[in-house]
Amino acid sequence: MYPAPFDYHRATSVDDVLTLLAEHTDTAKLLAGGHSLLPVMKLRLAQPELLIDINDLDELRNISVEADHITIGAMVTHHTLATNPEIASAVSLLVEIAHVVGDQQVRNLGTIGGALAHADPAADYPAGMLALDASIVAMSANGERAIPIDEFFTGFLTTALEPAELLTAIRIPRTGDSFGAAYEKLANPASGYATVGIAVALTTDTAGEIDSIRIGVTGTGASAYRPTSVEEALIGSAGDNATLKAAVRTATDGIDVMEDKHGPADYRARVTQNLIRRAVFRALASANGA
Amino acid sequence: MSPTTIDVAINVNGETHQVDVEPRTLLVHFIREQAGLTGTHTGCETGQCGACTVLLDGHAVKSCMVLAAQATGHEVMTIEGLATSADELHPLQTVFWEEHGLQCGYCTPGVLLSSLALLRDNPSPDDQQIRHALEGNICRCTGYHNIINAVRVAAEQLTPDQLSAQAATSEVR
């Protein structure tokens, strides 16, 4: 099972990548971990003429924890995120998510930047990035910009990245006290992808009630999204079951819910609601120190 | 389209194989057809079954999901690199034999290398950790019970020396 022929270039620097991308904008693809790209190339769904391997760019593998945010290099692997002590103390939701991406072999090579740029509708990170209010750092020959995560996922396998842009890093705001987060996933037993995956990040006030909340949904629609009406309905709630049940009813409003062999649309919608309830419940317990 | 080939040099089980190959050559095909080591099996070729698992710089990867070009300059260990000679089994293989951790054997090279990577990283895994580490290796014969059992017994019996025949490097590449 071979991809169509292509030319291969092992990039030596970010500038090297940006120059090549500017020259071959419509015909080149970037090779990170390869665990999303190579399968679609084998199926001939993608037939790039030039593959730019960015695995030697160690500057894209840094993790830095700063006062107000954490920066994660695009080439940091799932394995590193699942096991890195700095990530564990600064943004434990990422550890939880990275731990359930694919399997041991996939986690050893697959990267967070690659997964986000590919934007598979059933990938795990998009939900987490939406919940954590991340921003995506992208570079091109024209310079660097930060894309708010709410503007990043634009459709099925589509992002706000321009064709000549390189996703270099992910920035995640630091969180304070009374913060809780959780990821709930119904995994497809064969592929490991999320049939539905729900990430929740919230803060509580002194009464233990929700005063801010972000919910990321993956697997349900053509791309990851935030059910903002559910978020709004949960503000001021202590997470009692009646409020939660009422709030999640709108979780798939306005969403073209996916329907495939892994589940019909009404099933996915129901799972989406139930996993939101579970994730909010667990995030609240964590925020309130239970 | 592009008829070009590239020069690839990969250290497989301590021996460097240098060959001109098409850029689209997968590591699993390089191992089987260029290095001539057919113990690494191709299964689904879509990155799901784990039959083609090898160690790349000490870390378990699916060799059908890596280009040979990507592995240039890196160290690969296949199932042939596990035992010190063709006439004897590595202690991990012996445990799988004794505990009936295989039936047809097609998935076994991949299972053994995933298990080795696990035990080097975590010499005393519990059953949950063993199952998590082997999620990427599909076996259609055993029902997994004896595989999990074999890894558990290996964790009890194998010495650190037996696990670290080739020391893993710290970074995944």
Side-chain angles (χ1 to χ4, degrees), chain B residues 55-132:
Chain B
L55 301 190
L56 179 62
D57 295 338
H59 299 274
V61 303
K62 293 171 183 170
S63 57
C64 79
M65 279 295 133
V66 179
L67 297 174
Q70 284 175 274
T72 286
H74 295 280
E75 288 185 8
V76 171
M77 179 184 165
T78 71
I79 191 65
E80 290 89 346
L82 192 55
T84 46
S85 84
D87 305 326
E88 55 187 298
L89 297 178
H90 183 273
L92 182 61
Q93 291 169 308
T94 304
V95 170
F96 267 71
W97 175 286
E98 289 171 349
E99 299 297 322
H100 306 286
L102 65 150
Q103 286 182 28
C104 86
Y106 198 85
C107 71
T108 308
V111 170
L112 286 167
L113 290 171
S114 288
S115 302
L116 184 69
L118 164 70
L119 293 173
R120 282 175 174 174
D121 192 41
N122 177 4
S124 311
D126 60 30
D127 278 16
Q128 201 56 41
Q129 289 166 328
I130 295 171
R131 288 174 184 276
H132 189 60

Side-chain angles (χ1 to χ4, degrees), chain A residues 30-100:
Chain A
L30 299 174
L31 178 66
H35 282 56
S36 299
L37 180 60
L38 290 178
V40 296
M41 287 175 63
K42 287 180 181 184
L43 295 170
R44 310 283 171 116
L45 297 173
Q47 301 195 13
E49 290 174 18
L50 173 65
L51 214 51
I52 306 168
D53 185 348
I54 56 174
N55 278 279
D56 281 353
L57 306 185
D58 286 338
E59 60 266 49
L60 300 183
R61 291 182 191 274
N62 294 329
I63 293 173
S64 65
V65 179
E66 285 145 60
D68 58 345
H69 66 271
I70 303 133
T71 304
I72 298 165
M75 291 298 289
V76 171
T77 62
H78 314 315
H79 171 79
T80 299
L81 287 175
T83 55
N84 182 291
E86 282 187 304
I87 294 292
S89 65
V91 53
S92 60
L93 179 65
L94 260 188
V95 175
E96 192 180 337
I97 293 176
H99 200 65
V100 296

Side-chain angles (χ1 to χ4, degrees), chain B residues 7 18 25 38 59 62 79 84-85 89 103 108 127 133-134 139 141-142 158 160 162 164-165 167 170:
Chain B
D7 181 29
Q18 186 158 9
T25 305
T38 53
H59 299 274
K62 293 171 183 170
I79 191 65
T84 46
S85 84
L89 297 178
Q103 286 182 28
T108 308
D127 278 16
L134 293 179
C139 170
C141 302
T142 62
L158 267 59
Q162 290 171 329
S164 64
S170 59

Side-chain angles (χ1 to χ4, degrees), chain A residues 3 7 42 56 103-105 108, chain B residues 24 45 60 62 64 133 172:
Chain A
D7 285 325
K42 287 180 181 184
D56 281 353
D103 49 52
Q104 175 185 203
Q105 296 95 315
N108 279 338
Chain B
R24 60 176 172 162
E45 295 194 64
K62 293 171 183 170
C64 79
V172 183

